[in-house]
Amino acid sequence: MTTLYIIGILLLVICLVLIFFVSKSERIVNLAYKFNMCEKEINVFLNNKEDLVRSRGLGDVYKRQLNTEFKVFESVKNIKASKINNYDRDKLLSEAFLNIEKIYLDNPELKDIKSFDGIIKDIKKNEVKLVSLRTLYNKCSSEFNSIYNKFPYSIICKIKKMSVRTLYEGKELGDEIDKELNFVI
């Protein structure tokens, strides 16, 4: 009879431990879902940014208007072939865009060319979306990284083969917008 009580108590303890782990696992899964979705969207917008930065029209306008080669983008030319990760690709494309923007601001005659002006505006719109996605990704990843080594999350992460996330560099949204994002999520 006592063995039945002991077995019952053990089963109850095991069930409680499982419920505890499942409830903690839900937080990890939720964060992982958010940063994975952000990562997919970031990839889409990085592809857009890459296409805009590598735009043939951009180099042609620059060459025609300023009688100079478009040498600013040597590092961007081989991005697809090099298969670098999104973090490094984002860095390269951001540097290239800063150079484009500097050329654009330094040469007022480029503002009159609709194709060049349109590309600059498209890159800026794309960048706004990238900044918001990077901010959300970094927020979720930071939260994940902060609990990664804590019990029971460390065990759950090892079981699910998850590792610490790298954060994106660059601009992030202000606190007001961050609060709005928390409301939406």
Side-chain angles (χ1 to χ4, degrees):
M1 188 70 147
T2 57
T3 56
L4 285 175
Y5 285 123
I6 293 173
I7 291 173
I9 291 172
L10 281 174
L11 282 173
L12 181 63
V13 168
I14 290 171
C15 287
L16 289 174
V17 168
L18 284 174
I19 290 170
F20 176 74
F21 272 93
V22 167
S23 69
K24 297 301 179 181
S25 176
E26 192 172 313
R27 183 174 180 197
I28 295 282
V29 168
N30 220 1
L31 287 170
Y33 174 77
K34 286 178 185 176
F35 61 66
N36 286 333
M37 291 306 295
C38 286
E39 210 165 36
K40 287 178 185 174
E41 287 295 311
I42 286 170
N43 193 42
V44 168
F45 285 102
L46 281 177
N47 288 338
N48 288 345
K49 188 175 183 178
E50 183 178 337
D51 291 342
L52 289 166
V53 166
R54 295 176 73 209
S55 171
R56 186 80 183 126
L58 203 61
D60 291 342
V61 168
Y62 184 69
K63 196 174 191 178
R64 249 188 334 229
Q65 286 300 116
L66 304 176
N67 297 321
T68 310
E69 286 297 316
F70 211 47
K71 294 181 181 178
V72 176
F73 307 103
E74 293 300 320
S75 59
V76 176
K77 282 183 182 176
N78 301 319
I79 284 182
K80 285 194 190 318
S82 63
K83 298 191 182 202
I84 59 176
N85 63 30
N86 277 350
Y87 307 103
D88 294 332
R89 193 166 80 144
D90 184 39
K91 228 180 198 177
L92 276 173
L93 291 170
S94 293
E95 288 171 13
F97 177 62
L98 288 175
N99 288 328
I100 290 172
E101 203 168 34
K102 185 178 182 329
I103 291 165
Y104 182 70
L105 294 173
D106 290 347
N107 298 288
E109 66 271 18
L110 293 176
K111 292 178 183 171
D112 297 331
I113 301 168
K114 290 188 191 241
S115 61
F116 198 87
D117 191 51
I119 291 171
I120 296 294
K121 287 178 182 172
D122 289 345
I123 293 173
K124 285 182 179 181
K125 284 180 195 173
N126 195 69
E127 189 61 25
V128 167
K129 292 173 184 171
L130 265 172
V131 167
S132 62
L133 286 167
R134 268 195 308 256
T135 301
L136 182 57
Y137 174 88
N138 284 348
K139 183 180 178 336
C140 294
S141 294
S142 293
E143 186 178 338
F144 174 81
N145 291 347
S146 71
I147 63 173
Y148 178 79
N149 288 320
K150 295 179 181 172
F151 179 81
Y153 301 109
S154 59
I155 296 169
I156 296 166
C157 289
K158 285 181 181 152
I159 291 170
K160 293 186 178 270
K161 297 179 182 170
M162 300 173 96
S163 59
V164 173
R165 307 301 296 192
T166 306
L167 301 179
Y168 280 95
E169 294 177 20
K171 292 187 253 176
E172 291 205 17
L173 299 175
D175 290 336
E176 311 81 42
I177 298 172
D178 197 29
K179 288 175 188 172
E180 287 181 34
L181 280 175
N182 282 333
F183 179 74
V184 172
I185 298 171

